[in-house]
Amino acid sequence: MTNPDGRPKLPLAMAYDPARIEKKWQQYWEENQTFRAELDPSRPKYYVLDMFPYPSGDGLHVGHPEGYTATDIMARYKRMRGFNVLHPMGWDAFGLPAEQYAIKTGTHPRVTTERNIRNFKRQIQSLGFSYDWSREIDTTDPNYVRWTQWIFRKLFEMGLAYEAEVPVNWCPELGTVLANEEVIDGKSEVGGHPVIRMPLKQWMLRITRYADRLIEDLEELDWPEPIKKMQRDWIGRSEGAHVRFPVVDHPEIAIEVFTTRPDTLFGATYMVLAPEHPLVDAITTEENREAVSAYVERAARRSERARMADTGRKTGVATGAMARNPVNGAEIPIWIADYVLAGYGTGAIMAVPAHDERDWEFARTFDLPIVQVVEGGDVDRAAWTGPGRATASGFLDGLETEDAKRKMIEWLEAEGVGKGTVTYKLRDWLFSRQRYWGEPFPVVHHEDGKIELIPESDLPLTLPELDDFKPTGENFEAPLARVKDWIETTDPEGRRVLRDPNTMPQWAGSCWYFLRFLDPTNEEAPWSAEAENYWMPVDLYVGGAEHAVLHLLYSRFWHKVFYDLGLVHTKEPFQKLVNQGMILGESFRYFDDDIADEKKEPVKRYSFDQIRETDEGPVAKDDGRPLKARWIQLGDVAYDAEGNPVHPEDPDLRLERVVEKMSKSKGNVINPDDVIREHGADSMRLYEMFIGPLEKAAPWSTEGIQGIHRFLQRAWRLFHEGKEDEERYRPPVEGAGTDEQRRLTARTLQGVTEDIEAMRFNTAISKLMVFVRDIAKKDPLPMASAEIFTLMLAPMAPHIAEELWSLMGHENTLAYEPWPEPDGRYLEEDELTLVVQVNGKKRGEIRVPAEASKELVEERALAHENVQKILGGREPRKVIVVPGRLVNVVAPA
RNA sequence: GCCCGGGUGGCGAAAUCGGUAGACGCGGGCGACUUAAAAUCGCCUGGCCCCAGGUCAUGCAGGUUCGAGUCCUGCCCCGGGCACCA
């Protein structure tokens, strides 16, 4: 746009206006397909991935953009470093909330899901992330479901998917079974509903076959050590032995146990079976039958939770049967107790009370003999579980624990009564859910019970339409079981067959989405070998730590299956993993005595200093009555004259300020839309990166973001002159500026580069703040510094950077501008300031030439007046010179 | 109970190789501009004291070292994970 006289027309209002420039550049990027990634073997690739979100009805949360901003900075930085960057986004859109919403309102989950995706996408795009939207994925899209089902076919063909009657975690509230990983403390991970154990026929995936590889291959991954450890612990590999104990008077029966301490076999003084153990019935004597059945029944009724609450208190009952210890022929009683778990090992143990805490407690409770067979500790007072020399153990006597284990296993194998074995805590993955909103299993059931895959050409098998999404609650059946004309079908030969009423868990879609991103529109295959070969593995994966054992274990498992099928070329999908911390909210609470939520009148309110926390919850300090915490919505909080938060209707009631996880019920949720409207996307991005290290949780602060916004305004004003609405672009002066400016620019660039490489965005931003503060203090901003600054800012605050870049006269986006190199000549100082210490305490400073010798530095330090004063003429005992840092003079004592 | 993280100003933090503790930001204070306020700009801001200086200070108590937020030992507190796994 030009004036009649040909000069460029400068817009009048140029004040930093994020709303204007952010929209402008988001449109530019979209119209120019700036971030579209194409396979290009001539260039190095960088695949940077976010854990894709479940598009919930609440919309984006301020927690989401933290990880997304971090990956976006890395994506933009790597592009400027010449990498071909793959940075995609998609939707993990199957799942319970949409289905539960459907149950409540009758709205089809597809409708809700589509609406939520639209909203999420709008919000994510308003933050200016450089995703290649042409690769967007939705796990509920039939074109995606088709390949998830295709993968299930592969799993089935490899014998990794099977149906089995297993004890499962049934959640009556959710009306479905859950995987072990989805149950926390006997409650569902989602919603915290009670879960009961019961046997049901379910689809299982043989993840246990990959247990060893899932442990071993963790080694080479650049993951946080705690996450690796959680995975190792979850898999829970332990080495030991299986040993068979013959049952006296039952020549046909032997009880097999697993033990990690075969070296203590001589100390086994009794055995214990889990109440669910299949041999319980067969071995129980008539006299004990009644007591045993009563105990078994009671154990079956008790919930997992009650059982866990009792940990420590030992209960059990004798069967009356005896077993023979195979090493010494001793007859030992067989008991039943619920401290032995049916699901681990063989469901039976040999009890060595002297060297196992649980057995010791049980033996004490029921007065069973305790025989020490490992030296160490005092077994009358506590079990000795540490290592030691074997004793009272026949041929093991004198051997250290490790040697004794080895020798016992040799003996067991030679005698044919046992063998060395490895056991895992990890169970096979329970893979079916009694839900509607998931991938149907691509199988049919024949009348004779045979299961057959439906032909590949029939994929995707889509969900039938439904009006009522409720679980039936009868026979633990899924909603699909009611859709007779979908369930009942015929196979290609015309035989009557039934479809499977179950659907896959939400994890199915997220187990392989990172591979679909490589080649999202492929019709012939889930992805092409060419794309996989070029883009994989994921170089950087960022997401919440809550997926440590769920998503990350499942997807590693699938990836290994793909590896075995030759579908991928790396053993592991995610090379580097970073867990971002949570953004916490500030909430305000008080207490009242309406514990039943019956809106009773009058209600008595309590401030935080009038209550006391007990095991049963908060109670009033004065009369001890039970109370319930209440929260005031962030926007409704009132303040008294001293600025203390108070109840809006009761100004005398002081509110307690609590920093905690954001949730609707606590009224402390911050909506990204509001933040962007007020401060802009660049401020939001920078703020989330500035509040602390990425991995650490940090509270959201409404004041804090203003500091960032001010920084961006200052940066803007470096390039502008004039007041308020008459602000005009003022071009930086030609050239590279003064030595001081060159030094600041070079030093900032070096520091920011190192910080971004290490993902220390908080310190990178603080360096940019220092730069903005100092660069034009004395002399006008030079063009070279201006350009370098803009490029450094670009990965973190891309909109303002693009705007400044174009104001400086550049025609194209800076997204692909090469990352600048610092001028080495300006990184070094000619003169240094060294700290002078006496006995490690700072006493002064000296200025010395950068290349000053140790001797000169020493001499100058000793000449310092404070040093002279303290030494008082004495000779120093020692002088330590740390080059470039300090001089420490050690005074005589 | 066991295993990981982590405790630094009023607050978020920095110091990552054992070498000036508190960069940067928030909040607070003072000043400039303004009729005034906001905005902006400048300066100050860990405690204490005999205040040109000194002294104490990185959860607590010790230790190693010329020198410790950083390394070692013991303890306390907070967050997370696992939880009768034989």
Side-chain angles (χ1 to χ4, degrees), chain A residues 34 83 112 196 248 298 316 396 443 458 583 587 626 744 874:
Chain A
T34 305
F83 287 86
T112 321
I196 56 171
V248 177
R298 203 188 68 140
L396 298 180
V443 298
D458 285 2
I583 305 256
S587 52
L744 177 59
R874 296 171 299 170

Side-chain angles (χ1 to χ4, degrees), chain A residues 739-754 821-832 850:
Chain A
D739 278 4
E740 214 176 326
Q741 288 174 319
R742 291 171 195 243
R743 263 201 297 274
L744 177 59
T745 305
R747 257 207 324 270
T748 306
L749 175 53
Q750 179 173 256
V752 168
T753 306
E754 281 170 12
E821 288 293 332
D823 186 339
R825 287 171 302 170
Y826 293 95
L827 286 173
E828 272 143 44
E829 307 268 359
D830 323 332
E831 220 181 27
L832 301 170

Side-chain angles (χ1 to χ4, degrees), chain A residues 12-22 25 676 678-686 705-706 708-718 720 722 724-725 727-728 793 796-804 807:
Chain A
L12 275 179
M14 290 284 289
Y16 174 48
D17 177 9
R20 179 179 64 87
I21 64 176
E22 288 175 359
W25 287 102
I676 293 171
E678 243 179 278
H679 303 283
D682 283 337
S683 292
M684 167 116 191
R685 294 169 57 119
L686 279 186
I705 193 166
Q706 286 165 10
I708 284 290
H709 191 74
R710 275 199 281 271
F711 158 66
L712 288 177
Q713 276 174 332
R714 268 181 227 129
W716 180 260
R717 279 199 303 270
L718 276 179
H720 290 82
E724 315 249 314
D725 38 318
E727 215 167 58
R728 283 166 197 278
L793 186 62
M796 295 182 264
H799 308 91
I800 187 173
E802 289 274 23
E803 184 70 12
L804 294 175
L807 283 172

Side-chain angles (χ1 to χ4, degrees), chain A residues 39-56:
Chain A
L39 200 152
D40 178 2
S42 70
R43 290 166 61 205
K45 65 90 186 183
Y46 189 77
Y47 185 0
V48 49
L49 184 67
D50 297 286
M51 289 185 188
F52 67 161
Y54 172 76
S56 76

Side-chain angles (χ1 to χ4, degrees), chain A residues 189-202:
Chain A
E189 198 204 13
V190 178
H193 306 296
V195 168
I196 56 171
R197 296 284 287 182
M198 57 184 311
L200 273 182
K201 196 172 186 187
Q202 296 290 322

Side-chain angles (χ1 to χ4, degrees), chain A residues 447-460:
Chain A
E447 277 169 348
D448 60 3
K450 224 176 105 228
I451 296 167
E452 206 172 36
L453 290 168
I454 65 170
E456 204 178 313
S457 55
D458 285 2
L459 299 183

